[in-house]
Amino acid sequence: EAEVAQSPRYKITEKSQAVAFWCDPISGHATLYWYRQILGQGPELLVQFQDESVVDDSQLPKDRFSAERLKGVDSTLKIQPAELGDSAMYLCASSLGLAGGGEQFFGPGTRLTVL
Amino acid sequence: GIQVEQSPPDLILQEGANSTLRCNFSDSVNNLQWFHQNPWGQLINLFYIPSGTKQNGRLSATTVATERYSLLYISSSQTTDSGVYFCAGNSGGGADGLTFGKGTHLIIQP
């Protein structure tokens, strides 16, 4: 069964260090999303790609976060420098990108701890 | 964007009981999904249900789009049904990231 892949599954880093997360969407899915989930809350959208283009990054803290999807397939989310408040689960999702969004499927997530 | 409210926030039931989880949304939605988050944090898709009724085994869901709510029914609960259930929606268009509710934390006791 096709799945969204993410790595690493867990990451521990010290504040001020740089971290990067990788996501490989379901094959053929044109739309890719990155969400952040703080403990005890629902996920919140950080950035949305349609193929290689950013559709929505209004909630991405651009002073320290960056995201790219250079060839319109896999994607990388980077944080530099990491802060204590960045400790969270980072979830990647993908969808076919049909009009109206279509069903989104999520990967297993990367759990980030910033010390 | 839309706002999503879920109720109840917490629910404790005995094994075998039935439950109903509710999701209210502030505006019309093009996409409405229900998820179960497992203990490792992964979101498992339960239903993609912008309108109508669907059933999958012991679970079923109904969305009444004109009244802006959706219901998730769990029958004959099992301990493995425990966890957090999320409702999420979007209003469509190009920027269609999901807006999630705060979830319902369900505990099924043996």
Side-chain angles (χ1 to χ4, degrees):
Chain A
E1 183 176 320
E3 296 179 340
V4 177
Q6 289 189 248
S7 66
R9 295 293 305 277
Y10 303 92
K11 180 69 178 179
I12 300 174
T13 191
E14 295 184 344
K15 63 179 181 180
S16 80
Q17 296 299 304
V19 293
F21 313 131
W22 176 81
C23 172
D24 192 14
I26 294 172
S27 177
H29 280 197
T31 310
L32 184 148
Y33 312 81
W34 284 101
Y35 292 82
R36 177 172 61 183
Q37 185 178 20
I38 296 171
L39 191 63
Q41 300 181 18
E44 294 181 333
L45 180 72
L46 291 174
V47 62
Q48 176 189 345
F49 289 92
Q50 178 68 28
D51 299 310
E52 67 277 6
S53 300
V54 173
V55 173
D56 182 4
D57 63 357
S58 58
Q59 301 304 310
L60 188 71
K62 298 180 187 65
D63 57 334
R64 297 184 300 106
F65 286 64
S66 65
E68 61 183 17
R69 193 184 184 198
L70 295 177
K71 296 183 179 179
V73 181
D74 58 338
S75 175
T76 301
L77 178 69
K78 297 179 181 178
I79 308 174
Q80 183 173 14
E83 296 181 353
L84 296 178
D86 296 331
S87 294
M89 174 76 91
Y90 290 83
L91 295 161
C92 180
S94 70
S95 74
L96 284 170
L98 300 171
E103 187 174 6
Q104 295 184 25
F105 297 87
F106 284 76
T110 296
R111 191 176 298 276
L112 173 67
T113 301
V114 182
L115 303 175
Chain B
I2 66 169
Q3 297 179 18
V4 178
E5 293 186 0
Q6 291 188 243
S7 60
D10 301 281
L11 187 58
I12 301 174
L13 298 171
Q14 294 297 122
E15 199 169 21
N18 301 328
S19 58
T20 301
L21 281 58
R22 185 178 179 101
C23 173
N24 292 330
F25 34 95
S26 61
D27 205 343
S28 58
V29 293
N30 272 8
N31 178 358
L32 192 290
Q33 293 186 237
W34 283 96
F35 300 91
H36 178 208
Q37 190 160 42
N38 68 21
W40 297 272
Q42 180 154 13
L43 288 167
I44 307 300
N45 288 40
L46 297 178
F47 293 103
Y48 171 67
I49 187 165
S51 64
T53 297
K54 291 185 177 180
Q55 182 159 5
N56 184 4
R58 296 182 295 104
L59 274 60
S60 64
T62 295
T63 297
V64 184
T66 53
E67 297 187 22
R68 300 178 184 173
Y69 74 88
S70 184
L71 301 173
L72 177 68
Y73 305 97
I74 305 174
S75 64
S76 305
S77 299
Q78 301 176 359
T79 55
T80 52
D81 294 330
S82 297
V84 183
Y85 289 80
F86 287 103
C87 165
N90 66 39
S91 54
D96 58 5
L98 291 170
T99 297
F100 282 76
K102 294 184 177 181
T104 292
H105 188 194
L106 176 64
I107 297 174
I108 305 298
Q109 297 178 332

